[in-house]
Every structure is written in C-alpha cells, then in structure tokens.
Amino acid sequence: MLPFLIQIEDGLPVSDQIIQAVRKAMLTGQLAQGDEFPSVRTLSQELRISPTTAHKVVATLKDAGYLASRPGIGMVVTAPKLPERDDRLDHLQPLCSELLKEAQDLHLNFDDIVTALRQAADDNGFLEPAARSSSLGKKSKS
Amino acid sequence: MKPIIEVRQLRKRFKKTLAVDGLDLIVPEGAVMAFLGPNGAGKTTTIKCLLNIHEPDAGAVNVLGIDSRRLGPAEFRQIAYVSENQELPLWMTVRQFLDYCRPMYPNWDAAFATKLMKQFDLPPEGKLKSLSRGMKMKAALLSSLAYRPKLVVLDEPFSGLDPLVRDEFIRGMLELTENEGWTVFVSYHDIEEVERMADRVAILHRGKLQLNESAEDLQSRFRAVEIVLNGEDPQSHAFPESWLNVETAGRLLRFTDSRYAESALNAAMAKHLPTAKHFQAKPMTLREIFVALARTYRLNGLMAQS
C-alpha cells in the first residue's frame, strides 16, 4: 500500500498526477518529515506504472527537495521548503478559471463568488496558514 | 539511450500473405513498449522474427545488439518470452517445471522464484495440466522472470485471462522494475491492460508501423475537440488533415485533433469556421487515442482499397 492517497484520473500524464498527490499528502500531513517513501519498485507495482515513470516521479520529487536518500532506509520525506508564493498561487489558477467559468454560466458576479468562498471556508473549517501551523504543533517557517 | 530492439525494413511472407511489410522499429533500453494492432496486423510474426523463431525474408533485425539470426543460449538467458499459445510440459508439477528450467539459466534467482510463486498463488505440487489458463500463464511468466531477464517479450499475454489474473500478471512483472535497463515489449490487440504501464506505444497495421511514440508526447498532442457551430455547413469545408474522425451532431462539430496547440486550433477555426466561437479541447486517455487512430487507419485502408 502507498502511504498517500491517489486516484489516477484519465487523460493527464500519470507522473504529474503522482507528484501532485505526494505534494498534497505533505501539505495535509499524510506524509511527514522523516517518513519512509516507497521505492521505485513499490510505486511502479502499486500504481501499475512503467519503471521509467516511477523513476521520473522520484527524481522530480528529489530535485524539488521533497525526498532525500538515506543509506539503508531508502527514500525519506524531507521538509519541503514552501515554494515561492507566486508558484503556490499559480497552483490555484486552473481551479480559479473553472470557478469563474462556472460562475459566469450561472450569471453570478465577482462578489457572489467571494460570498460563496467565505461560505465554503466556514463550512469546511478553513484555517489561515498561521492558525493551521500552530494547530498542527509545528513552527511556521518564514 | 541505446536500442535494445532495432528492426530495419523487415519483410516476412507466408505463401500469399505478406505478414510484415517493411517494418522499421526501435525499442530503447528501459522502455515499456506496447506493440499494438488489430488481429492479423503482423505482431506475432514480428515477435517470432525478433526471437529467431522465424527467419526474416528481408531486412535487418537486431536484439540486444546482435543479429536475431545469430541469437543463441547466451542471449536467450537474458530474454523472457511468454506467448498466448505458450507450450508447457503439462505432465510436470509447477515445482518440477521450475526445477527443469533452472539449470538452463545460471542467473536463476531461487528466492525470487519462491516469492513470485507465493505472489501468484501457484500450487507447487499442482500438475500444469490441471491448472486453469490463468494459472498456466502465471507459471509461464514465473519461469521467465526468475532469471531476471533484461528483455521481456510478451505476445498477447492477457487474452482469455480474467481481470484479477491480468493484474497479478502485471504486478508480478513489475517486480523487475529495479533491474538496470530492464525493457518490456508487449503485444496486444487492445491498449486496455497496458495503458498505464506503457511509456511508449507502437501501432502496427497491415504489416507496417503506423506510429512509435512516447505516451507522454501522444497525450500532449491529442485532444478531443468539440466546437459549437453557428449555422455554418461543416460539410462544405476541407478541414486540416490533423483533424481526425470529424463528425457533426446538431450544432456540434466533434473531432480528434492530432496536432493540438491552442493557437493553431484558434487559427484553424478562424479560417474554416469563422462564425463558430466556442470550443472545448479535452485531454484524451491513451485508450481514446488508440481508438481514434484505429478508426482513422481503417478508414484510410478502405479508401486505399476503393
């Protein structure tokens, strides 16, 4: 079994989807610093993906500072430095476009979208980064 | 990357049938290549030429850097071959069968064989003839993986296997993932089972190669496009050749764009459908791409005949 949630969807490159899933698992705390990360073989077997793809996923995560090799253990999760704010914002762009499109189809204006977002934040218990890191008992880095 | 299989202008004829007609094919080391095509496309003949079971009529075939006609025991120790019609010594038990194979392969990994036997749920004392088709295929795969081959060649391995066995089969094979430069060449008439595993796709049609491309490139250049028409008559247009399987339904024009780029699509729309405004381009799965291509080849084949 893999230590992070992933549901591979049709149409998008598998490697991108896995990288996204891993990054998300790190943000939500499913994967924490020092956790063992599955080997290339386990990744390829569990997800039924080609060794090349599995290698690529691990190499990409390593380059980005999410994984490090530890002799005798294999791969471990390392504290990823949060990407630049701009990069994190870029991450939201596709979701924003979709939201805007949907709002347009429903003849809702920008204020309506903000209202809906506030509502959703309340419903889902959205925590601001500062509140979130203290609730997880971690020091916020900045 | 150096090629592990290299085929140049391969031709093979059986009496009146030209099974393989000038095939060029390169499989890079480390690839998992899906070798696809309808039944009768020439897949099995190609594979038999690769493995020195058939002698090519013309052309050059190199496997592991050696002319296929000169492949010998030293190379076959590095090649696994499992085919749909695998012949097995049916009177043997699974254990006897493995004991029989073992001395032929100096690199036989007994611990690995035991692990696979468990994973495949094979009964060591069961006679091969009493096993189901799926079990027999798993036994055949096990006997080929146990020596950690460099090249795994599978000819229609999934035909007639139930989904669970197919999955076990793939999982078992991926045990070899960490072997350096390990390469898989798997033929199938459909992409279904190998869709996620394949990082390269080759399509054979009427003995000729139609395509040999990485899965990633295919997925980046193919899109399922829908355009909402604004009263034009799409029949009166000559659309770009890269638009495959153009269809209309009501106001909707639907096709597969095989050279997708947003700017190019916008330009083509402005040229061919000036009043249409709205389009949607969705990424496609390898399976959808395969189906779109298969339809195109069939149509082209029909047009060439008439």
Side-chain angles (χ1 to χ4, degrees):
Chain A
M1 219 185 93
L2 294 174
F4 54 90
L5 286 173
I6 179 159
Q7 180 84 53
I8 293 191
E9 282 169 35
D10 288 346
L12 301 164
V14 181
S15 56
D16 293 353
Q17 293 192 50
I18 302 167
I19 291 165
Q20 292 293 346
V22 169
R23 290 177 61 178
K24 201 169 161 197
M26 287 170 177
L27 288 172
T28 58
Q30 276 175 45
L31 283 175
Q33 196 179 344
D35 283 357
E36 260 179 63
F37 192 78
S39 66
V40 166
R41 180 168 59 82
T42 310
L43 276 182
S44 116
Q45 273 193 314
E46 292 293 329
L47 298 168
R48 319 289 191 268
I49 56 173
S50 86
T52 317
T53 308
H55 268 293
K56 194 173 135 190
V57 167
V58 169
T60 308
L61 289 168
K62 241 173 116 174
D63 287 348
Y66 291 101
L67 296 180
S69 6
R70 290 275 177 279
I73 301 176
M75 287 290 167
V76 296
V77 175
T78 47
K81 264 201 221 109
L82 269 185
E84 293 297 316
R85 187 163 172 277
D86 283 353
D87 291 342
R88 284 180 280 152
L89 279 173
D90 279 351
H91 226 70
L92 292 182
Q93 276 311 314
L95 291 169
C96 290
S97 318
E98 212 152 303
L99 184 63
L100 288 169
K101 222 189 245 169
E102 194 70 35
Q104 217 155 22
D105 287 350
L106 294 168
H107 293 273
L108 295 170
N109 65 26
F110 199 80
D111 288 340
D112 295 331
I113 297 178
V114 175
T115 311
L117 272 176
R118 286 237 168 76
Q119 178 70 45
D122 287 346
D123 292 350
N124 295 303
F126 178 77
L127 294 173
E128 297 287 336
R132 188 171 155 268
S133 48
S134 67
S135 80
L136 291 173
K138 282 182 192 162
K139 280 177 205 158
S140 79
K141 286 188 180 180
S142 56
Chain B
M1 247 180 278
K2 66 177 178 197
I4 202 134
I5 295 174
E6 200 174 357
V7 177
R8 298 268 176 227
Q9 286 301 305
L10 172 65
R11 218 171 278 274
K12 180 71 189 172
R13 179 185 289 279
F14 298 102
K15 292 188 183 143
K16 280 186 179 164
T17 316
L18 190 57
V20 181
D21 182 13
L23 174 72
D24 288 309
L25 178 70
I26 287 183
V27 182
E29 188 177 42
V32 176
M33 176 173 279
F35 186 48
L36 308 171
N39 294 320
K43 301 188 298 286
T44 298
T45 306
T46 304
I47 286 179
K48 289 191 167 168
C49 288
L50 293 178
L51 299 174
N52 198 13
I53 300 169
H54 288 331
E55 197 173 326
D57 293 338
V61 180
N62 276 280
V63 175
L64 300 172
I66 287 172
D67 185 327
S68 69
R69 282 165 295 195
R70 299 215 319 266
L71 288 176
E75 289 77 38
F76 285 116
R77 274 176 210 142
Q78 302 175 63
I79 302 175
Y81 170 51
V82 178
S83 79
E84 184 185 12
N85 307 309
Q86 191 81 30
E87 281 183 31
L88 295 168
L90 293 174
W91 63 93
M92 290 186 186
T93 65
V94 174
R95 191 187 302 282
Q96 284 167 341
F97 173 52
L98 296 179
D99 287 344
Y100 159 82
C101 296
R102 190 172 174 167
M104 294 184 254
Y105 302 97
N107 33 349
W108 187 274
D109 182 339
F112 184 42
T114 309
K115 182 182 171 186
L116 283 173
M117 183 135 78
K118 261 202 204 119
Q119 200 176 311
F120 285 163
D121 213 13
L122 283 166
E125 307 309 331
K127 280 234 160 80
L128 289 172
K129 71 168 170 234
S130 69
L131 300 182
S132 66
R133 182 176 160 73
M135 285 289 202
K136 281 192 193 108
M137 287 297 279
K138 285 196 282 184
L141 182 68
L142 164 50
S143 72
S144 306
L145 295 182
Y147 49 94
R148 296 188 177 273
K150 214 173 147 42
L151 170 63
V152 176
V153 179
L154 304 171
D155 190 9
E156 291 270 338
F158 310 112
S159 301
L161 301 189
D162 68 59
L164 179 68
V165 176
R166 291 175 186 203
D167 193 58
E168 281 183 304
F169 199 95
I170 290 175
R171 230 190 113 96
M173 195 175 67
L174 289 171
E175 279 283 341
L176 288 180
T177 290
E178 274 162 351
N179 287 18
E180 189 108 7
W182 175 70
T183 309
V184 180
F185 187 74
V186 51
S187 86
Y188 204 47
H189 59 269
D190 188 359
I191 197 168
E192 200 178 352
E193 296 306 320
V194 286
E195 164 157 24
R196 232 198 268 167
M197 189 177 64
D199 43 39
R200 281 197 86 78
V201 176
I203 298 180
L204 191 67
H205 186 67
R206 292 169 194 257
K208 283 195 166 76
L209 195 71
Q210 304 289 338
L211 179 118
N212 176 3
E213 204 168 331
S214 80
E216 215 160 288
D217 289 349
L218 277 174
Q219 285 193 310
S220 79
R221 75 177 170 96
F222 275 83
R223 287 290 182 282
V225 178
E226 287 183 347
I227 297 179
V228 180
L229 298 173
N230 211 349
E232 297 111 322
D233 175 13
Q235 307 305 333
S236 62
H237 295 281
F239 294 120
E241 262 185 21
S242 57
W243 292 11
L244 311 178
N245 309 323
V246 182
E247 295 175 328
T248 47
R251 287 168 163 275
L252 211 56
L253 180 78
R254 187 178 292 141
F255 60 91
T256 300
D257 191 347
S258 61
R259 299 253 169 256
Y260 175 74
E262 196 177 331
S263 53
L265 184 55
N266 273 319
M269 263 175 69
K271 184 174 165 211
H272 297 287
L273 303 163
T275 59
K277 288 279 178 291
H278 193 74
F279 78 85
Q280 208 185 17
K282 278 190 297 195
M284 297 167 76
T285 64
L286 279 184
R287 187 183 160 73
E288 288 165 336
I289 295 170
F290 175 66
V291 170
L293 285 172
R295 276 182 67 190
T296 309
Y297 299 149
R298 202 172 57 206
L299 290 177
N300 288 346
L302 287 175
M303 286 194 307
Q305 273 175 357
S306 60

Short mmCIF file of all heavy atoms in Angstrom, two decimals, chain B residues 48-98:
data_model
loop_
_atom_site.label_atom_id
_atom_site.label_comp_id
_atom_site.label_asym_id
_atom_site.label_seq_id
_atom_site.Cartn_x
_atom_site.Cartn_y
_atom_site.Cartn_z
N LYS B 48 8.20 -13.27 -33.63
CA LYS B 48 8.92 -14.50 -33.95
C LYS B 48 10.20 -14.22 -34.74
O LYS B 48 11.17 -14.96 -34.63
CB LYS B 48 8.00 -15.48 -34.66
CG LYS B 48 6.95 -16.03 -33.70
CD LYS B 48 6.16 -17.17 -34.25
CE LYS B 48 5.38 -17.83 -33.10
NZ LYS B 48 4.37 -18.78 -33.60
N CYS B 49 10.18 -13.13 -35.52
CA CYS B 49 11.41 -12.75 -36.22
C CYS B 49 12.44 -12.19 -35.23
O CYS B 49 13.64 -12.43 -35.36
CB CYS B 49 11.13 -11.73 -37.31
SG CYS B 49 10.27 -12.41 -38.74
N LEU B 50 11.95 -11.47 -34.23
CA LEU B 50 12.86 -10.91 -33.22
C LEU B 50 13.60 -12.02 -32.50
O LEU B 50 14.76 -11.88 -32.14
CB LEU B 50 12.07 -10.11 -32.15
CG LEU B 50 11.37 -8.82 -32.54
CD1 LEU B 50 10.63 -8.24 -31.34
CD2 LEU B 50 12.37 -7.82 -33.06
N LEU B 51 12.88 -13.13 -32.24
CA LEU B 51 13.42 -14.17 -31.38
C LEU B 51 13.99 -15.35 -32.16
O LEU B 51 14.18 -16.43 -31.62
CB LEU B 51 12.33 -14.64 -30.41
CG LEU B 51 11.81 -13.54 -29.48
CD1 LEU B 51 10.65 -14.04 -28.65
CD2 LEU B 51 12.92 -13.04 -28.58
N ASN B 52 14.23 -15.13 -33.46
CA ASN B 52 14.87 -16.15 -34.27
C ASN B 52 14.01 -17.42 -34.38
O ASN B 52 14.53 -18.51 -34.57
CB ASN B 52 16.26 -16.49 -33.70
CG ASN B 52 17.14 -17.21 -34.71
OD1 ASN B 52 16.81 -17.24 -35.90
ND2 ASN B 52 18.24 -17.79 -34.25
N ILE B 53 12.70 -17.26 -34.25
CA ILE B 53 11.80 -18.40 -34.45
C ILE B 53 11.45 -18.45 -35.94
O ILE B 53 11.36 -19.50 -36.55
CB ILE B 53 10.54 -18.28 -33.57
CG1 ILE B 53 10.95 -18.23 -32.09
CG2 ILE B 53 9.58 -19.44 -33.83
CD1 ILE B 53 9.84 -17.85 -31.13
N HIS B 54 11.26 -17.26 -36.53
CA HIS B 54 11.13 -17.14 -37.99
C HIS B 54 12.37 -16.45 -38.53
O HIS B 54 12.92 -15.57 -37.86
CB HIS B 54 9.93 -16.26 -38.37
CG HIS B 54 8.60 -16.91 -38.14
ND1 HIS B 54 8.41 -18.26 -38.19
CD2 HIS B 54 7.39 -16.35 -37.88
CE1 HIS B 54 7.13 -18.52 -37.95
NE2 HIS B 54 6.49 -17.37 -37.74
N GLU B 55 12.73 -16.82 -39.74
CA GLU B 55 13.82 -16.09 -40.38
C GLU B 55 13.24 -15.01 -41.27
O GLU B 55 12.33 -15.29 -42.05
CB GLU B 55 14.66 -17.07 -41.22
CG GLU B 55 16.00 -16.50 -41.57
CD GLU B 55 16.90 -17.53 -42.24
OE1 GLU B 55 16.80 -18.72 -41.90
OE2 GLU B 55 17.67 -17.11 -43.12
N PRO B 56 13.71 -13.78 -41.15
CA PRO B 56 13.17 -12.71 -42.00
C PRO B 56 13.45 -12.99 -43.48
O PRO B 56 14.49 -13.58 -43.81
CB PRO B 56 13.95 -11.47 -41.55
CG PRO B 56 14.62 -11.83 -40.26
CD PRO B 56 14.77 -13.30 -40.25
N ASP B 57 12.53 -12.59 -44.36
CA ASP B 57 12.78 -12.69 -45.80
C ASP B 57 13.73 -11.58 -46.24
O ASP B 57 14.53 -11.75 -47.15
CB ASP B 57 11.47 -12.57 -46.59
CG ASP B 57 10.56 -13.77 -46.34
OD1 ASP B 57 11.08 -14.83 -45.93
OD2 ASP B 57 9.33 -13.63 -46.55
N ALA B 58 13.58 -10.43 -45.60
CA ALA B 58 14.44 -9.29 -45.93
C ALA B 58 14.49 -8.37 -44.73
O ALA B 58 13.63 -8.41 -43.87
CB ALA B 58 13.87 -8.55 -47.14
N GLY B 59 15.52 -7.55 -44.70
CA GLY B 59 15.64 -6.57 -43.62
C GLY B 59 16.61 -7.02 -42.55
O GLY B 59 17.14 -8.13 -42.61
N ALA B 60 16.83 -6.13 -41.59
CA ALA B 60 17.78 -6.41 -40.51
C ALA B 60 17.07 -6.34 -39.18
O ALA B 60 16.30 -5.43 -38.93
CB ALA B 60 18.92 -5.41 -40.55
N VAL B 61 17.31 -7.36 -38.35
CA VAL B 61 16.72 -7.37 -37.01
C VAL B 61 17.84 -7.56 -35.99
O VAL B 61 18.59 -8.54 -36.06
CB VAL B 61 15.70 -8.52 -36.86
CG1 VAL B 61 15.11 -8.52 -35.46
CG2 VAL B 61 14.60 -8.40 -37.90
N ASN B 62 17.98 -6.61 -35.10
CA ASN B 62 18.97 -6.72 -34.02
C ASN B 62 18.28 -6.73 -32.68
O ASN B 62 17.43 -5.89 -32.41
CB ASN B 62 19.94 -5.53 -34.07
CG ASN B 62 21.06 -5.77 -35.06
OD1 ASN B 62 22.02 -6.46 -34.75
ND2 ASN B 62 20.89 -5.22 -36.24
N VAL B 63 18.66 -7.70 -31.85
CA VAL B 63 18.10 -7.78 -30.50
C VAL B 63 19.28 -7.87 -29.53
O VAL B 63 20.20 -8.68 -29.77
CB VAL B 63 17.17 -9.00 -30.36
CG1 VAL B 63 16.69 -9.15 -28.92
CG2 VAL B 63 15.98 -8.86 -31.31
N LEU B 64 19.29 -7.05 -28.50
CA LEU B 64 20.42 -6.97 -27.57
C LEU B 64 21.72 -6.73 -28.33
O LEU B 64 22.77 -7.25 -27.95
CB LEU B 64 20.54 -8.26 -26.73
CG LEU B 64 19.35 -8.64 -25.84
CD1 LEU B 64 19.56 -10.03 -25.25
CD2 LEU B 64 19.15 -7.63 -24.72
N GLY B 65 21.63 -6.00 -29.43
CA GLY B 65 22.82 -5.65 -30.20
C GLY B 65 23.34 -6.75 -31.12
O GLY B 65 24.42 -6.63 -31.68
N ILE B 66 22.55 -7.82 -31.28
CA ILE B 66 23.01 -8.96 -32.09
C ILE B 66 21.98 -9.27 -33.18
O ILE B 66 20.77 -9.14 -32.95
CB ILE B 66 23.21 -10.19 -31.18
CG1 ILE B 66 24.47 -9.98 -30.35
CG2 ILE B 66 23.30 -11.48 -31.96
CD1 ILE B 66 24.68 -11.02 -29.30
N ASP B 67 22.46 -9.65 -34.35
CA ASP B 67 21.58 -10.07 -35.43
C ASP B 67 20.68 -11.21 -34.92
O ASP B 67 21.19 -12.19 -34.39
CB ASP B 67 22.44 -10.56 -36.60
CG ASP B 67 21.60 -10.88 -37.83
OD1 ASP B 67 20.45 -11.35 -37.66
OD2 ASP B 67 22.09 -10.67 -38.95
N SER B 68 19.37 -11.05 -35.08
CA SER B 68 18.45 -12.02 -34.50
C SER B 68 18.74 -13.45 -34.98
O SER B 68 18.48 -14.41 -34.27
CB SER B 68 17.00 -11.66 -34.82
OG SER B 68 16.75 -11.84 -36.19
N ARG B 69 19.29 -13.59 -36.18
CA ARG B 69 19.55 -14.94 -36.70
C ARG B 69 20.73 -15.60 -36.00
O ARG B 69 20.97 -16.78 -36.17
CB ARG B 69 19.80 -14.87 -38.21
CG ARG B 69 18.50 -14.73 -39.00
CD ARG B 69 18.73 -14.30 -40.42
NE ARG B 69 19.30 -12.95 -40.47
CZ ARG B 69 19.35 -12.21 -41.55
NH1 ARG B 69 18.90 -12.68 -42.70
NH2 ARG B 69 19.87 -11.00 -41.51
N ARG B 70 21.47 -14.77 -35.22
CA ARG B 70 22.61 -15.34 -34.51
C ARG B 70 22.37 -15.41 -32.99
O ARG B 70 23.29 -15.68 -32.23
CB ARG B 70 23.87 -14.52 -34.80
CG ARG B 70 24.23 -14.51 -36.29
CD ARG B 70 25.74 -14.51 -36.49
NE ARG B 70 26.40 -13.62 -35.55
CZ ARG B 70 26.72 -12.35 -35.81
NH1 ARG B 70 26.42 -11.84 -36.99
NH2 ARG B 70 27.32 -11.61 -34.91
N LEU B 71 21.14 -15.18 -32.57
CA LEU B 71 20.83 -15.27 -31.14
C LEU B 71 21.05 -16.70 -30.67
O LEU B 71 20.62 -17.65 -31.32
CB LEU B 71 19.37 -14.89 -30.88
CG LEU B 71 18.97 -13.42 -31.02
CD1 LEU B 71 17.47 -13.27 -30.82
CD2 LEU B 71 19.73 -12.54 -30.04
N GLY B 72 21.72 -16.85 -29.55
CA GLY B 72 21.98 -18.18 -29.02
C GLY B 72 21.70 -18.23 -27.54
O GLY B 72 21.14 -17.29 -26.98
N PRO B 73 22.11 -19.33 -26.90
CA PRO B 73 21.82 -19.52 -25.46
C PRO B 73 22.24 -18.32 -24.61
O PRO B 73 21.51 -17.93 -23.71
CB PRO B 73 22.65 -20.75 -25.10
CG PRO B 73 22.82 -21.48 -26.38
CD PRO B 73 22.84 -20.46 -27.47
N ALA B 74 23.39 -17.71 -24.91
CA ALA B 74 23.87 -16.61 -24.07
C ALA B 74 22.85 -15.46 -24.07
O ALA B 74 22.63 -14.81 -23.05
CB ALA B 74 25.22 -16.11 -24.59
N GLU B 75 22.21 -15.22 -25.23
CA GLU B 75 21.22 -14.14 -25.30
C GLU B 75 19.88 -14.59 -24.71
O GLU B 75 19.21 -13.83 -24.03
CB GLU B 75 21.02 -13.67 -26.75
CG GLU B 75 22.20 -12.89 -27.31
CD GLU B 75 23.35 -13.79 -27.72
OE1 GLU B 75 23.10 -14.89 -28.25
OE2 GLU B 75 24.52 -13.40 -27.47
N PHE B 76 19.50 -15.84 -24.99
CA PHE B 76 18.19 -16.29 -24.51
C PHE B 76 18.14 -16.37 -22.98
O PHE B 76 17.06 -16.38 -22.41
CB PHE B 76 17.78 -17.62 -25.17
CG PHE B 76 17.35 -17.42 -26.60
CD1 PHE B 76 18.05 -17.97 -27.65
CD2 PHE B 76 16.25 -16.61 -26.88
CE1 PHE B 76 17.66 -17.76 -28.97
CE2 PHE B 76 15.85 -16.39 -28.19
CZ PHE B 76 16.56 -16.96 -29.23
N ARG B 77 19.29 -16.39 -22.35
CA ARG B 77 19.32 -16.32 -20.89
C ARG B 77 18.94 -14.93 -20.38
O ARG B 77 18.74 -14.73 -19.20
CB ARG B 77 20.74 -16.61 -20.39
CG ARG B 77 20.97 -18.08 -20.21
CD ARG B 77 22.42 -18.32 -19.81
NE ARG B 77 22.82 -19.61 -20.32
CZ ARG B 77 24.01 -19.89 -20.82
NH1 ARG B 77 24.93 -18.95 -20.90
NH2 ARG B 77 24.28 -21.09 -21.26
N GLN B 78 18.93 -13.97 -21.29
CA GLN B 78 18.59 -12.60 -20.89
C GLN B 78 17.24 -12.17 -21.43
O GLN B 78 16.83 -11.03 -21.30
CB GLN B 78 19.65 -11.62 -21.40
CG GLN B 78 21.04 -11.92 -20.93
CD GLN B 78 22.01 -10.97 -21.60
OE1 GLN B 78 21.93 -9.77 -21.41
NE2 GLN B 78 22.91 -11.51 -22.41
N ILE B 79 16.57 -13.10 -22.13
CA ILE B 79 15.30 -12.74 -22.75
C ILE B 79 14.19 -13.63 -22.19
O ILE B 79 14.35 -14.85 -22.13
CB ILE B 79 15.35 -12.94 -24.29
CG1 ILE B 79 16.48 -12.09 -24.90
CG2 ILE B 79 14.01 -12.58 -24.93
CD1 ILE B 79 16.68 -12.32 -26.38
N ALA B 80 13.09 -13.02 -21.79
CA ALA B 80 11.91 -13.79 -21.40
C ALA B 80 10.92 -13.71 -22.55
O ALA B 80 10.78 -12.67 -23.17
CB ALA B 80 11.29 -13.19 -20.14
N TYR B 81 10.26 -14.82 -22.83
CA TYR B 81 9.25 -14.82 -23.89
C TYR B 81 8.04 -15.60 -23.41
O TYR B 81 8.16 -16.79 -23.09
CB TYR B 81 9.86 -15.43 -25.16
CG TYR B 81 8.87 -15.72 -26.27
CD1 TYR B 81 8.00 -14.73 -26.72
CD2 TYR B 81 8.83 -16.96 -26.88
CE1 TYR B 81 7.10 -14.99 -27.75
CE2 TYR B 81 7.94 -17.24 -27.92
CZ TYR B 81 7.08 -16.25 -28.35
OH TYR B 81 6.20 -16.50 -29.36
N VAL B 82 6.93 -14.92 -23.31
CA VAL B 82 5.69 -15.60 -22.93
C VAL B 82 4.65 -15.25 -23.98
O VAL B 82 4.42 -14.08 -24.27
CB VAL B 82 5.19 -15.14 -21.53
CG1 VAL B 82 3.87 -15.83 -21.18
CG2 VAL B 82 6.23 -15.44 -20.46
N SER B 83 4.06 -16.29 -24.57
CA SER B 83 3.07 -16.01 -25.61
C SER B 83 1.73 -16.62 -25.25
O SER B 83 1.63 -17.47 -24.37
CB SER B 83 3.54 -16.55 -26.95
OG SER B 83 3.30 -17.94 -27.01
N GLU B 84 0.75 -16.15 -25.96
CA GLU B 84 -0.63 -16.59 -25.76
C GLU B 84 -0.73 -18.11 -25.84
O GLU B 84 -1.43 -18.75 -25.08
CB GLU B 84 -1.44 -15.92 -26.89
CG GLU B 84 -2.88 -16.12 -26.86
CD GLU B 84 -3.51 -15.49 -28.11
OE1 GLU B 84 -2.75 -15.14 -29.05
OE2 GLU B 84 -4.72 -15.36 -28.13
N ASN B 85 -0.01 -18.68 -26.81
CA ASN B 85 -0.09 -20.13 -27.01
C ASN B 85 1.13 -20.84 -26.45
O ASN B 85 1.71 -21.72 -27.08
CB ASN B 85 -0.22 -20.44 -28.51
CG ASN B 85 -1.35 -19.67 -29.13
OD1 ASN B 85 -2.47 -19.70 -28.62
ND2 ASN B 85 -1.06 -18.95 -30.20
N GLN B 86 1.51 -20.41 -25.26
CA GLN B 86 2.68 -20.98 -24.61
C GLN B 86 2.56 -22.50 -24.49
O GLN B 86 1.55 -23.00 -24.00
CB GLN B 86 2.77 -20.38 -23.20
CG GLN B 86 4.03 -20.65 -22.49
CD GLN B 86 5.13 -19.69 -22.95
OE1 GLN B 86 4.84 -18.57 -23.32
NE2 GLN B 86 6.34 -20.16 -22.94
N GLU B 87 3.59 -23.21 -24.93
CA GLU B 87 3.57 -24.66 -24.73
C GLU B 87 4.32 -24.99 -23.45
O GLU B 87 5.43 -24.54 -23.24
CB GLU B 87 4.22 -25.36 -25.92
CG GLU B 87 3.26 -25.44 -27.09
CD GLU B 87 3.84 -26.21 -28.27
OE1 GLU B 87 4.65 -27.13 -28.05
OE2 GLU B 87 3.47 -25.86 -29.40
N LEU B 88 3.69 -25.76 -22.62
CA LEU B 88 4.30 -26.14 -21.33
C LEU B 88 4.32 -27.65 -21.23
O LEU B 88 3.47 -28.33 -21.79
CB LEU B 88 3.48 -25.57 -20.17
CG LEU B 88 3.40 -24.05 -20.05
CD1 LEU B 88 2.33 -23.65 -19.03
CD2 LEU B 88 4.74 -23.47 -19.64
N PRO B 89 5.29 -28.20 -20.49
CA PRO B 89 5.30 -29.64 -20.26
C PRO B 89 4.20 -29.99 -19.26
O PRO B 89 4.42 -29.97 -18.05
CB PRO B 89 6.70 -29.90 -19.69
CG PRO B 89 7.14 -28.58 -19.14
CD PRO B 89 6.40 -27.51 -19.84
N LEU B 90 3.01 -30.30 -19.79
CA LEU B 90 1.81 -30.38 -18.96
C LEU B 90 1.84 -31.50 -17.92
O LEU B 90 1.12 -31.46 -16.94
CB LEU B 90 0.59 -30.56 -19.86
CG LEU B 90 0.27 -29.34 -20.74
CD1 LEU B 90 -0.87 -29.66 -21.70
CD2 LEU B 90 -0.05 -28.12 -19.90
N TRP B 91 2.71 -32.50 -18.16
CA TRP B 91 2.74 -33.63 -17.21
C TRP B 91 3.51 -33.29 -15.94
O TRP B 91 3.50 -34.02 -14.97
CB TRP B 91 3.35 -34.86 -17.89
CG TRP B 91 4.78 -34.64 -18.30
CD1 TRP B 91 5.89 -34.94 -17.57
CD2 TRP B 91 5.25 -34.05 -19.51
NE1 TRP B 91 7.02 -34.56 -18.24
CE2 TRP B 91 6.67 -34.03 -19.44
CE3 TRP B 91 4.62 -33.55 -20.67
CZ2 TRP B 91 7.46 -33.51 -20.47
CZ3 TRP B 91 5.42 -33.05 -21.68
CH2 TRP B 91 6.80 -33.02 -21.58
N MET B 92 4.20 -32.14 -15.93
CA MET B 92 5.00 -31.77 -14.76
C MET B 92 4.18 -30.99 -13.75
O MET B 92 3.19 -30.37 -14.09
CB MET B 92 6.17 -30.87 -15.18
CG MET B 92 7.24 -31.57 -15.98
SD MET B 92 8.61 -30.43 -16.23
CE MET B 92 9.63 -31.41 -17.33
N THR B 93 4.64 -31.04 -12.49
CA THR B 93 4.05 -30.14 -11.49
C THR B 93 4.76 -28.78 -11.64
O THR B 93 5.79 -28.68 -12.30
CB THR B 93 4.28 -30.65 -10.06
OG1 THR B 93 5.68 -30.63 -9.79
CG2 THR B 93 3.74 -32.05 -9.87
N VAL B 94 4.21 -27.76 -10.98
CA VAL B 94 4.82 -26.43 -11.05
C VAL B 94 6.27 -26.49 -10.57
O VAL B 94 7.18 -25.97 -11.22
CB VAL B 94 4.01 -25.41 -10.21
CG1 VAL B 94 4.73 -24.07 -10.16
CG2 VAL B 94 2.60 -25.23 -10.78
N ARG B 95 6.47 -27.21 -9.46
CA ARG B 95 7.83 -27.30 -8.92
C ARG B 95 8.77 -28.01 -9.88
O ARG B 95 9.89 -27.56 -10.13
CB ARG B 95 7.81 -28.01 -7.56
CG ARG B 95 9.13 -27.91 -6.81
CD ARG B 95 9.16 -28.77 -5.56
NE ARG B 95 8.12 -28.45 -4.60
CZ ARG B 95 8.16 -27.40 -3.77
NH1 ARG B 95 9.17 -26.56 -3.82
NH2 ARG B 95 7.19 -27.19 -2.93
N GLN B 96 8.30 -29.13 -10.44
CA GLN B 96 9.14 -29.87 -11.39
C GLN B 96 9.49 -29.00 -12.60
O GLN B 96 10.61 -29.02 -13.11
CB GLN B 96 8.40 -31.13 -11.89
CG GLN B 96 8.38 -32.25 -10.87
CD GLN B 96 7.38 -33.36 -11.25
OE1 GLN B 96 6.47 -33.14 -12.07
NE2 GLN B 96 7.56 -34.52 -10.65
N PHE B 97 8.51 -28.24 -13.04
CA PHE B 97 8.71 -27.37 -14.19
C PHE B 97 9.82 -26.34 -13.91
O PHE B 97 10.72 -26.13 -14.72
CB PHE B 97 7.39 -26.67 -14.54
CG PHE B 97 7.49 -25.62 -15.62
CD1 PHE B 97 8.09 -25.90 -16.84
CD2 PHE B 97 6.96 -24.35 -15.41
CE1 PHE B 97 8.18 -24.93 -17.84
CE2 PHE B 97 7.04 -23.38 -16.40
CZ PHE B 97 7.67 -23.66 -17.60
N LEU B 98 9.75 -25.75 -12.72
CA LEU B 98 10.77 -24.76 -12.36
C LEU B 98 12.14 -25.41 -12.20
O LEU B 98 13.15 -24.87 -12.65
CB LEU B 98 10.37 -24.00 -11.09
CG LEU B 98 9.10 -23.16 -11.22
CD1 LEU B 98 8.77 -22.48 -9.89
CD2 LEU B 98 9.22 -22.12 -12.32
#
